[in-house]
């Protein structure tokens, strides 16, 4: 079924969306660290060269300068790869987060689906870092349609944002258009036995798992938690109440990612329920095609399905 | 408009030095040495060079002062207070519970503080971003960034130096308070960074070095020169004395981040009396 859907990489949304918004009257400035072709930010330079600044391969300078630029009234978009955004963590903290400046980090090649480049290029910890920064909104799109909606929302909303996009072409989920609203989970299918909470490319894989499970008699709710920060705690509490078990699936370290954040919210809720976690388990990546690396990590529909079976077995 | 035009800079600097010593003494913490070495530079900047208006701290056409060595808040708050950005009495709240005047600079606290700092090495980048944004806005205001000499150890400073020249940024003035001392020891012992002037020139900057950072006329002349450089960023390296104005603090690495005891405080205030 997935093969009949159109596919696109979430990173493809950035440049064209920025160009259109600038043409429609936004005040966008893009700063780049020599990866604009891959992140698609360079599309913006082609149309608005005076609003595009190359910082060379120097992410720390780029991020602090982005903060300064934002104080002059512009909406600043900084683009690089997720692992290289991590290179400027203190600058993100001091020059963007603490003074709450209007800088959007849209970083591509998030997660292990970067594939062949191997461990150094695979960000298994990026949104843990960004989620640790006060004042940041943190988003992970499930497909290119949602990625575009997230970029639009980021430009329209003052304050620091992090959007993690991905390298591989993945199936479009929102074929009828985006449903993105910051801080709100999307229920993509309802069910009564268990809820899968996913983000990024695990959303599509969770929908595939849900279909298999449904046929096996397990009724599954799937939530796309496109916003990691602020987390949609109400949707999580409803999932716990309505389905009694939760699986969190993500392309990131489980101990510091969406899984950990959901577990914190559920533990503090009035109705804690059994949870299982699908994600990167305390390790770095390795080379391979993107779907091979996901398979090595267990980030597949089958991996999600097994986690669902485990959590359902733990229900009283 | 220059808010402090006509001010007696000698008297102003003396008052600012007394504020600095009182603030650090009052909090029994804070950075006294690098505040006293930068006092005359800030007095000239706010009194003679910068276009600013304490009544309109958000004025888009204002010149911006970026304190990159964000531990030197005592001198920054004192000069802002003397220029009317906050009540002089508020200086007594420095580093105390509930204060706006934190140990290291926080953007907007009080109005007139243009950046958050405390982690060294970021101010030149932040100022560069401001100037790029102003250029896009066709604003002819200037950005002045004050750095320490120990701060030059940070790699990000050199990323910013390279980028400012690459983008041919003018109306952009870097200032180094070359007091020869950093946190633990003399800069020559911690990390040799000299010759700083030749390094910046090689990076594409216009540079003036060897200026006496305690001679108000020399400071004004050098900063006026830097302000008018076009097509390139400009740097002035001021030779200063860490702890300037208090004999036992001068050129003493022990007074980078230490507060005076009661006896030292009394002696310092005596030396700084009119
Ligand atoms: C990134 C970073 N590392 C370490 C410190 C701790 N620290 C505070 S001041 C200082 C020395 C600064 O020396 P210098 O730049 O010469 O400043 P000045 O002499 O003017 O006070 C250090 C290492 C810091 N503030 N930031
Ligand atoms: Mg020094």
């Amino acid at each position: 079924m997935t093969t009949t859907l159109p596919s696109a990489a979430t990173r493809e949304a950035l440049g064209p969306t920025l160009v259109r918004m600038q043409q429609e009257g936004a005040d966008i400035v893009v700063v780049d660290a020599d990866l604009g072709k891959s992140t698609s930010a360079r599309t913006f330079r082609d149309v608005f060269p005076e609003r595009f600044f190359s910082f060379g391969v120097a992410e720390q300078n780029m991020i602090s300068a982005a903060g300064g630029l934002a104080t002059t009234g512009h909406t600043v978009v900084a683009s690089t790869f997720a692992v290289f955004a991590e290179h400027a963590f203190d600058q993100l903290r001091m020059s963007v987060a603490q003074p709450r400046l209007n800088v959007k980090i849209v970083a591509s090649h998030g997660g292990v689906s970067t594939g062949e480049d191997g461990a150094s290029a695979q960000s298994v910890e990026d949104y843990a870092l960004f989620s640790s920064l006060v004042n940041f909104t943190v988003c992970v799109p499930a497909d290119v349609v949602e990625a575009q909606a997230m970029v639009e929302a980021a430009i329209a909303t003052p304050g620091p944002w992090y959007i993690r996009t991905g390298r591989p072409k993945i199936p479009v989920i929102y074929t009828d258009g985006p449903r993105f609203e910051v801080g709100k989970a999307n229920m993509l299918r309802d069910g009564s036995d268990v809820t899968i909470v996913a983000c990024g490319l695990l959303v599509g894989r969770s929908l595939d798992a849900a279909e298999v499970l449904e046929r096996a008699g397990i009724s599954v709710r799937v939530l796309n938690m496109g916003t990691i920060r602020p987390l949609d705690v109400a949707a999580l509490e409803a999932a716990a109440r309505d389905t009694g078990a939760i699986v969190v699936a993500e392309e990131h370290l489980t101990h510091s990612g969406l899984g950990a954040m959901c577990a914190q919210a559920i533990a503090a809720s009035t109705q804690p329920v059994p949870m299982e976690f699908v994600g990167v388990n305390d390790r770095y990546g390795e080379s391979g095609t993107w779907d091979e690396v996901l398979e090595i990590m267990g980030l597949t529909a089958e991996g999600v399905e097994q986690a669902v079976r485990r959590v359902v077995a733990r229900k009283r | 408009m220059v808010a402090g035009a006509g001010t007696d800079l000698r008297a102003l600097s003396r008052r600012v030095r007394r504020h600095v010593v009182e603030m650090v003494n009052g909090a029994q913490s804070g950075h006294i040495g690098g505040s006293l070495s930068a006092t005359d530079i800030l007095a000239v900047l706010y009194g003679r060079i910068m276009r600013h208006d304490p009544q309109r701290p958000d004025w888009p056409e204002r010149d911006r002062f970026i304190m990159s060595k964000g531990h030197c808040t005592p001198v920054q708050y004192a000069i802002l207070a003397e220029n009317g950005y906050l009540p002089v009495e508020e200086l007594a709240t420095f580093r105390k519970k509930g204060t706006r005047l934190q140990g290291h600079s926080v953007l907007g606290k009080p109005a007139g503080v243009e950046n958050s700092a405390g982690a060294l090495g970021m101010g030149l980048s932040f100022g560069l971003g401001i100037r790029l944004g102003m250029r896009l806005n066709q604003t002819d205001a200037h950005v002045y960034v004050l750095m320490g000499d120990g701060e030059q150890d940070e790699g990000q400073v050199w990323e910013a130096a390279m980028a400012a020249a690459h983008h041919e940024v003018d109306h952009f003035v870097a200032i180094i308070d070359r007091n020869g001392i950093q946190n633990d020891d003399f800069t020559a012992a911690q990390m040799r960074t000299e010759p700083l002037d030749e390094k910046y020139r090689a990076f594409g900057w216009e540079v003036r070095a060897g200026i006496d950072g305690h001679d108000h006329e020399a400071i004004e002349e050098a900063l006026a020169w830097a302000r008018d450089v076009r097509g390139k960023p400009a740097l002035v390296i001021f030779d200063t004395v860490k702890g300037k104005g208090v004999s036992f603090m001068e050129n003493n690495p022990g007074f980078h981040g230490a507060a005076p005891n009661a006896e030292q405080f009394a002696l310092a205030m005596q030396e700084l009396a009119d």
Side-chain angles (χ1 to χ4, degrees):
Chain A
M1 170 212 138
T2 39
T3 47
T4 62
L5 289 174
S7 280
T10 51
R11 63 180 158 130
E12 293 169 33
L14 178 63
T17 306
L18 295 179
V19 167
R20 183 174 42 74
M21 293 190 81
Q22 182 63 32
Q23 284 163 342
E24 289 168 3
D27 178 2
I28 297 167
V29 172
V30 176
V31 298
D32 172 61
D34 202 23
L35 284 170
K37 281 185 191 162
S38 299
T39 66
S40 83
R42 221 175 147 87
T43 314
F44 187 83
R45 191 189 84 150
D46 298 339
V47 188
F48 299 104
E50 73 288 354
R51 294 182 156 270
F52 183 99
F53 294 105
S54 163
F55 280 85
V57 198
E59 296 77 12
Q60 302 182 353
N61 181 43
M62 173 176 79
I63 294 297
S64 291
L69 252 160
T71 69
T72 61
H74 307 287
T75 302
V76 185
V77 176
S79 107
T80 179
F81 288 177
V83 282
F84 304 133
E86 297 176 16
H87 193 57
F89 186 70
D90 193 15
Q91 288 72 18
L92 288 160
R93 175 177 179 270
M94 288 301 305
S95 303
V96 179
Q98 187 280 324
R100 203 175 191 154
L101 293 171
N102 197 19
V103 177
K104 322 299 176 184
I105 320 298
V106 186
S108 75
H109 292 58
V112 295
S113 56
T114 298
E116 292 84 348
D117 280 343
S120 81
Q122 296 171 0
S123 63
V124 293
E125 64 289 272
D126 59 325
Y127 57 72
L129 290 172
F130 279 93
S131 297
S132 73
L133 293 168
V134 177
N135 294 328
F136 255 87
T137 298
V138 178
C139 293
V140 182
D143 71 1
V144 71
V145 176
E146 191 175 47
Q148 179 179 325
M150 285 173 177
V151 172
E152 286 169 359
I155 299 299
T157 316
W161 280 55
Y162 177 66
I163 301 174
R164 174 218 253 195
T165 62
R167 173 172 172 262
K169 289 192 186 298
I170 56 172
V172 171
I173 292 166
Y174 292 97
T175 45
D176 297 332
R179 284 166 53 193
F180 176 71
E181 198 183 327
V182 63
K184 292 272 181 283
N186 285 171
M187 195 194 295
L188 297 181
R189 92 184 257 155
D190 202 3
S192 52
D193 296 328
V194 60
T195 300
I196 305 171
V197 178
C199 68
L201 60 70
L202 264 298
V203 174
R205 292 175 175 220
S206 296
L207 287 169
D208 292 346
E211 216 157 289
V212 173
L213 288 159
E214 199 79 49
R215 284 200 294 274
I218 299 175
S219 167
V220 184
R221 175 180 295 185
V222 176
L223 291 182
N224 172 18
M225 195 63 80
T227 315
I228 309 280
R229 285 257 300 167
L231 201 58
D232 188 348
V233 175
L236 285 171
E237 287 177 345
R241 196 171 54 237
D242 298 346
T243 70
I246 293 175
V247 169
V248 183
E250 61 185 319
E251 194 190 348
H252 188 283
L253 290 169
T254 56
H255 73 255
S256 56
L258 181 61
M261 290 181 243
C262 290
Q264 184 188 26
I266 289 297
S269 74
T270 52
Q271 194 178 352
V273 296
M275 297 181 74
E276 291 281 337
F277 306 95
V278 177
V280 180
N281 285 315
D282 206 11
R283 58 162 298 182
Y284 291 109
E286 57 189 278
S287 283
T289 64
W290 67 274
D291 45 352
E292 284 167 350
V293 177
L294 289 173
E295 205 169 314
I296 291 166
M297 300 281 181
L299 306 183
T300 55
E302 296 70 39
V304 176
E305 187 194 325
Q306 284 160 17
V308 167
R309 291 183 188 278
R310 285 198 304 273
V311 85
V312 169
R314 289 170 54 201
K315 282 174 77 171
R316 306 241 169 115
Chain B
M1 161 185 195
V2 174
T7 322
D8 174 352
L9 292 180
R10 281 179 70 98
L12 172 70
S13 300
R14 213 151 243 274
R15 282 201 303 281
V16 168
R17 285 195 163 89
R18 284 202 295 269
H19 292 318
V20 166
V21 172
E22 282 176 331
M23 288 162 78
V24 174
N25 180 64
Q28 276 300 298
S29 72
H31 296 81
I32 212 163
S35 288
L36 294 175
S37 63
T39 297
D40 298 298
I41 301 167
L42 262 71
V44 173
L45 265 176
Y46 279 85
R48 296 283 188 274
I49 298 289
M50 278 172 39
R51 180 170 75 190
H52 69 113
D53 180 355
Q55 302 311 313
R56 290 183 294 163
D58 293 333
W59 183 30
E61 306 292 318
R62 73 193 183 282
D63 289 341
R64 312 276 189 104
F65 173 72
I66 298 299
M67 178 62 102
S68 190
K69 51 171 194 150
H71 56 284
C72 293
T73 44
V75 68
Q76 184 178 23
Y77 299 148
I79 207 82
L80 287 173
E82 284 287 342
N83 277 273
Y85 286 85
L86 69 155
V88 168
E89 306 75 61
E90 193 179 339
L91 296 176
T93 70
F94 176 58
R95 282 180 173 247
K96 292 181 181 156
K97 188 180 170 189
T99 187
R100 293 194 295 171
L101 311 182
Q102 293 196 28
H104 295 79
S105 326
V106 177
L107 192 152
K109 292 187 180 179
V113 176
E114 304 275 14
N115 62 311
S116 291
L120 290 163
M122 299 187 195
L124 197 62
S125 306
F126 198 84
L128 170 62
I130 293 176
R131 185 52 215 153
L132 288 172
M134 285 177 165
R135 195 164 75 176
L136 210 52
N137 294 340
Q138 295 178 329
T139 301
D140 72 350
H142 295 78
V143 178
Y144 299 89
V145 181
L146 178 66
M147 295 182 286
D149 50 358
E151 187 178 9
Q152 303 305 306
D153 299 352
E154 285 284 357
Q156 187 183 351
V157 171
W158 300 96
E159 293 182 3
M162 214 181 314
H166 173 79
H167 290 291
E168 296 170 2
V169 177
D170 54 23
H171 293 67
F172 187 54
V173 177
I175 301 165
I176 296 178
D177 177 357
R178 186 169 171 272
N179 58 29
I181 295 174
Q182 48 201 86
N183 191 72
D184 281 359
D185 206 337
F186 292 94
T187 53
Q190 294 299 83
M191 180 57 64
R192 288 192 305 276
T193 50
E194 297 292 348
L196 284 171
D197 53 348
E198 287 176 30
K199 284 177 181 158
Y200 274 90
R201 272 190 203 104
F203 274 63
W205 288 58
E206 288 288 333
V207 180
R208 278 207 185 167
I211 315 287
D212 180 348
H214 301 301
D215 174 338
H216 293 135
E217 273 175 34
I219 297 169
E220 182 173 353
E221 207 260 309
L223 291 176
W225 163 81
R227 179 184 58 197
D228 296 335
V229 168
R230 290 294 172 266
K232 283 179 172 192
L235 167 72
V236 182
I237 303 176
F238 288 112
D239 289 338
T240 59
V241 176
K242 199 151 176 169
K244 175 73 177 179
V246 180
S247 57
F248 58 91
M249 294 182 184
E250 286 190 359
N251 205 30
N252 178 356
F255 278 99
H256 165 74
N261 62 29
E263 197 184 328
Q264 290 167 331
F265 174 63
L267 200 57
M269 292 307 284
Q270 215 176 328
E271 290 189 19
L272 292 171
D274 284 317

